[in-house]
Amino acid sequence: MSTPEKRTFPAQLVLPPRTISGKGTAVGLIDECLVFGKRGVVVCGGSLQKHGALTEALDRQASSEGIVTFQHAGGEPTVAQLEALIDAVRAHGAEWIAGVGGGSVMDLAKACAGLLNAPLPAIDYQNGEPIPASHVPFIAVPTTAGTGSEATIVAVLTNTGTGTKKSIRHASFMPRLVILDADLLMTCPPRVIAHCGMDAFVQAVESYVSRGSTWITEQLALKATGMIHETLLPMFDGGKPEEAQRLLEGSYLAGLALSNARLGLVHGLAHPLGARYHLAHGHVCAVCLPPVVSFNRNAMGDKYAALSNAVGGDFQKECETMLERLDIAPPFAGEEVIDRQGIIDETLASGSTAANPRDVSEADLIQIIEALFQG
Ligand SMILES: [Fe+2]
């Protein structure tokens, strides 16, 4: 009996309608946003101050155009921060929302645009209430290359009351416009480049081997794997604008792939571990990658060879070399496992784990967790 042909498209393919890519393009942000309406809010992080040309352009145009800037306090966005932002944006009467920053700023701004006109409090949607479609345009301008949030329909929010991180998602959350500008990445510190870049790399790999992958997401994910592998180390060591542009584009392609194919066990583990140990998401993803690749290897089939080809060497070894070269320390080695059963239960319940190419049992997880925590 012949095997059924691989699906070409996912049941629903969601892509940003317009993406501008090139060094220096972000200074045109406000002009681009004015297409969506006169009143808007730009959500940004502290790092925006490093980008003189962009802040000048924002200050100049914002004052005359009914546009306000909202600075995120930092850290991964919480439901409480989102509800405060929604109140402020409603009071301003904004017609669009732009996010200029890393994954946290992006998720906060995206969730705000997504729920701006929703009738219930944000917490209810995080707890599973069906999300209505949003008509509020969201414009994404990443200043890090990692989460791929500028290319996804997902926003991850932390509930500080329960200490859990959960995503909210809706096809209408996809950014209406994305601007990928190397200038914004050039001032990103090496540690952030390493952690975010490894998040992007893991997203490319996991979406490539995901059970939800289709022909189109495989093309995006495999290309992203090679682009991120080729540019992440040079960018960690300083890097040129051309490499920054390519890393941003690779991260964006990985975001498109994951948004349409889901992820795998690394991301299933990363949320419960990250929440308990208060570690950067990309840091946790990076250190979980080698044991998960080893676990998945036989289930990857021909894709293991394709990944090795994309990185120019045995894939498992290349993953380990990347961690060494990026100076990513194993944060769990020799530590006590906090709430082992909770970590296992959350990992098994995760949609990312469900998309992993190999079935994952409780016994498998115990072994992987042991490997991570071995001193
Ligand atoms: Fe991630």
Side-chain angles (χ1 to χ4, degrees):
M1 202 172 80
S2 63
T3 45
E5 200 186 330
K6 178 94 188 171
R7 286 183 62 168
T8 307
F9 275 74
Q12 175 181 245
L13 181 68
V14 191
L15 306 168
R18 187 161 168 245
T19 299
I20 298 170
S21 183
K23 183 179 174 338
T25 50
V27 288
L29 170 66
I30 299 297
D31 282 340
E32 294 292 345
C33 289
L34 288 172
V35 170
F36 300 113
K38 283 205 156 106
R39 297 187 72 78
V41 172
V42 179
V43 182
C44 59
S47 66
L48 190 64
Q49 300 310 322
K50 293 182 201 159
H51 307 291
L54 180 54
T55 43
E56 266 172 43
L58 283 177
D59 289 347
R60 195 175 57 247
Q61 292 175 296
S63 55
S64 60
E65 303 286 357
I67 296 162
V68 294
T69 305
F70 177 93
Q71 189 167 330
H72 173 46
E76 297 188 345
T78 66
V79 177
Q81 285 170 334
L82 171 62
E83 287 179 340
L85 179 61
I86 288 175
D87 286 346
V89 173
R90 281 180 184 158
H92 179 65
E95 295 162 277
W96 52 264
I97 295 164
V100 184
S104 296
V105 166
M106 208 61 73
D107 280 9
L108 181 64
K110 185 194 291 180
C112 179
L115 299 182
L116 192 64
N117 296 324
L120 300 174
I123 187 76
D124 292 350
Y125 298 112
Q126 204 202 23
N127 286 336
E129 280 292 327
I131 297 173
S134 169
H135 303 289
V136 180
F138 169 55
I139 300 94
V141 189
T143 59
T144 61
T147 65
S149 180
E150 71 280 5
T152 76
I153 60 169
V154 183
V156 181
L157 300 168
T158 301
N159 180 336
T160 39
T162 59
T164 51
K165 284 206 271 189
K166 259 200 213 151
S167 58
I168 54 169
R169 64 179 67 222
H170 191 280
S172 63
F173 287 8
M174 185 56 89
R176 205 74 75 82
L177 169 68
V178 183
I179 301 179
L180 304 175
D181 179 351
D183 282 346
L184 302 183
L185 193 59
M186 292 305 289
T187 52
C188 192
R191 183 57 41 220
V192 179
I193 290 274
H195 287 164
C196 292
M198 281 308 295
D199 182 23
F201 185 73
V202 171
Q203 287 170 179
V205 172
E206 292 213 290
S207 54
Y208 180 58
V209 300
S210 159
R211 287 180 192 203
S213 66
T214 56
W215 176 85
I216 194 163
T217 60
E218 286 173 358
Q219 313 308 306
L220 300 168
L222 195 58
K223 186 71 183 167
T225 304
M227 287 170 79
I228 297 163
H229 178 262
E230 173 192 310
T231 50
L232 179 52
L233 288 173
M235 282 306 294
F236 180 66
D237 296 332
K240 302 188 192 86
E242 309 86 84
E243 289 159 338
Q245 193 64 43
R246 209 163 154 74
L247 182 55
L248 272 174
E249 290 170 4
S251 171
Y252 168 83
L253 292 181
L256 291 183
L258 86 87
S259 204
N260 290 287
R262 304 299 298 253
L263 289 162
L265 178 55
V266 173
H267 276 80
L269 278 163
H271 286 184
L273 283 171
R276 284 171 180 80
Y277 289 85
H278 307 289
L279 290 164
H281 170 70
H283 191 180
V284 183
C285 286
V287 296
C288 291
L289 181 62
V292 170
V293 169
S294 167
F295 174 74
N296 280 340
R297 185 167 177 160
N298 289 338
M300 287 184 186
D302 295 345
K303 288 186 173 179
Y304 187 89
L307 286 171
S308 296
N309 194 36
V311 300
D314 175 71
F315 187 65
Q316 176 88 45
K317 279 210 191 86
E318 275 302 312
C319 292
E320 287 159 11
T321 305
M322 282 173 88
L323 296 198
E324 271 170 44
R325 285 284 323 279
L326 294 168
D327 201 18
I328 293 179
F332 306 118
E335 295 289 319
E336 287 286 311
V337 184
I338 303 170
D339 186 18
R340 182 188 307 258
Q341 197 56 47
I343 293 170
I344 290 171
D345 292 346
E346 282 176 43
T347 305
L348 288 175
S350 151
S352 295
T353 305
N356 194 63
R358 180 175 165 187
D359 283 339
V360 184
S361 69
E362 181 157 346
D364 297 328
L365 279 182
I366 290 171
Q367 275 193 3
I368 291 169
I369 291 168
E370 284 308 318
L372 285 170
F373 283 79
Q374 245 164 35

